[in-house]
C-alpha cells in the first residue's frame, strides 16, 4: 500500500491560483499512475487529473482542461496540481490517489490521501 499526504490547500478567491502537492511513500509499483480527485459536500467524488510516471502522459476531464496542470518530481516522489483561474464551483476537498495505470485511476484508485480543503470564494 502506498501512503499519500496532500498539502497546499487553502482559501483562494475566484480567478486565483493554488498549487497542491502530494508526497508518496511506501510500496510504489513500477509504471504506476497518480492523480487527483475532488469532492464537494453532498456530491460525488470526481476525477480531476492523472499522470503516468513512466510515459509522462497526463489526463484531465473537460471541466479543468486549460486551467489545471498535473506534474511530478520523481526525485521527491511527489505529484503536484497547479490550479489556475479557479472558480467557485472548484470548491471541494481535493484528494491525491494512486493506481496501477492511468486507465485504472479515474474509477478504481488503490490508495487515497487524507484530503486538503480548497474553498474558492466568489
Amino acid at each position: 500500500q502506498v501512503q499519500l499526504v496532500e498539502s497546499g490547500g487553502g482559501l483562494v478567491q475566484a480567478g486565483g491560483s493554488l498549487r497542491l502537492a502530494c508526497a508518496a511513500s511506501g510500496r510504489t509499483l513500477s509504471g504506476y499512475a497518480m492523480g487527483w480527485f475532488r469532492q464537494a459536500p453532498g456530491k460525488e467524488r470526481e476525477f480531476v487529473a492523472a499522470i503516468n510516471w513512466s510515459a509522462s502522459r497526463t489526463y484531465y476531464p473537460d471541466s479543468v482542461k486549460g486551467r489545471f496542470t498535473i506534474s511530478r518530481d520523481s526525485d521527491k516522489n511527489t505529484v503536484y496540481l497547479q490550479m489556475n483561474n479557479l472558480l467557485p464551483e472548484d470548491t471541494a476537498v481535493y484528494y491525491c490517489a494512486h493506481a496501477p495505470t492511468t486507465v485504472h485511476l479515474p474509477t478504481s484508485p488503490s490508495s487515497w490521501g487524507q484530503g486538503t480543503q480548497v474553498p474558492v470564494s466568489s
Side-chain angles (χ1 to χ4, degrees):
Q1 186 80 354
V2 175
Q3 290 77 51
L4 307 171
V5 179
E6 302 99 332
S7 62
L11 177 64
V12 63
Q13 294 188 12
S17 299
L18 278 178
R19 188 193 190 201
L20 306 182
C22 174
S25 62
R27 300 171 64 184
T28 303
L29 301 176
S30 178
Y32 69 100
M34 293 182 66
W36 295 88
F37 289 74
R38 65 186 182 186
Q39 187 170 25
K43 297 184 179 180
E44 295 289 326
R45 188 172 299 185
E46 65 173 328
F47 168 72
V48 173
I51 185 167
N52 185 321
W53 229 256
S54 60
S56 297
R57 305 279 204 278
T58 59
Y59 304 88
Y60 309 91
D62 290 340
S63 59
V64 305
K65 285 182 179 178
R67 299 191 299 122
F68 291 8
T69 303
I70 188 170
S71 61
R72 60 103 178 95
D73 184 333
S74 59
D75 292 336
K76 297 181 178 180
N77 207 20
T78 299
V79 65
Y80 303 92
L81 184 67
Q82 179 67 46
M83 303 185 292
N84 298 327
N85 193 25
L86 283 161
L87 305 169
E89 63 204 65
D90 294 318
T91 295
V93 177
Y94 283 71
Y95 297 89
C96 182
H98 172 274
T101 70
T102 51
V103 174
H104 291 89
L105 193 142
T107 57
S108 56
S110 55
S111 300
W112 295 96
Q114 83 286 354
T116 186
Q117 186 74 239
V118 180
V120 183
S121 62
S122 60

